[in-house]
Amino acid sequence: SVNISGTHTSGSVFPLGVTTVTYTAADRRGNQSTCTFRVAVVDNSPPVFNSCPPNLSMNAVSGCSRNVSWGAPVAQDNCSVTVTTSHMPGSTFPVGVTTVTYTATDQNGNQATCSFTVTIRDNTNPVFANCPTNIELTASTSCTAIASWTPPTAQDNCSVNVTTSHQPGTAFPIGETIV
């Protein structure tokens, strides 16, 4: 009779990588023979994200930005997985559109991404302060008058750019001109 022994049995669970399986057959007289083969377990499956957050859109608050929070997505994989992100929940976002990307990488380099956008809108109108009152002048001999005033200032939750149709010290013709 022959006694057969092996390092693994059929149906064994093998770890990721290459495992050598050896069987040895021995008879009562001490004669032996071995059979060797390798079992290779590879991971070609990328991680999978559950519930990637939807695109978010909000109004800016004080300043020209807003702190935004969301539930971080969870990644699953058949092997261990590490998740990194471009922005953490609770981060401050400026006015405009920012893409948030989560990347899940398993121990074998397989990757998956989950992306969504955060849109921050500036819906606060600037407010003028010290807007000059109407000015009435007498024309000079050239039928013009030079008008001077202190330019108004404007405030906003974001930076503000003030433009004007006429500068103080401009010569105006006879008649009404809107500045």
Side-chain angles (χ1 to χ4, degrees):
S1 74
V2 177
N3 181 23
I4 299 175
S5 63
T7 56
H8 298 81
T9 60
S10 179
S12 293
V13 175
F14 291 87
L16 195 63
V18 177
T19 303
T20 301
V21 177
T22 303
Y23 278 92
T24 304
D27 64 16
R28 284 190 228 164
R29 303 233 187 254
N31 298 312
Q32 290 188 24
S33 179
T34 60
C35 169
T36 303
F37 61 94
R38 289 186 296 275
V39 175
V41 177
V42 295
D43 176 19
N44 294 325
S45 301
V48 175
F49 275 103
N50 296 331
S51 65
C52 191
N55 293 335
L56 303 171
S57 184
M58 309 181 168
N59 294 328
V61 290
S62 64
C64 201
S65 61
R66 180 168 185 153
N67 291 353
V68 180
S69 293
W70 59 87
V74 176
Q76 295 179 331
D77 192 62
N78 56 341
C79 297
S80 64
V81 64
T82 301
V83 177
T84 59
T85 183
S86 60
H87 299 80
M88 297 297 292
S91 294
T92 301
F93 290 84
V95 167
V97 179
T98 304
T99 300
V100 176
T101 302
Y102 280 83
T103 303
T105 307
D106 69 16
Q107 66 190 36
N108 299 298
N110 298 310
Q111 288 188 335
T113 59
C114 158
S115 295
F116 61 96
T117 60
V118 175
T119 302
I120 303 300
R121 297 180 304 265
D122 174 18
N123 64 345
T124 303
N125 291 327
V127 176
F128 272 106
N130 308 318
C131 191
T133 58
N134 293 336
I135 301 171
E136 188 172 311
L137 301 170
T138 303
S140 66
T141 56
S142 62
C143 290
T144 63
I146 295 178
S148 294
W149 63 88
T150 301
T153 58
Q155 295 177 343
D156 192 50
N157 62 326
C158 295
S159 62
V160 63
N161 183 30
V162 178
T163 60
T164 183
S165 60
H166 298 83
Q167 295 293 329
T170 300
F172 288 87
I174 293 178
E176 184 177 291
T177 303
I178 297 177
V179 177

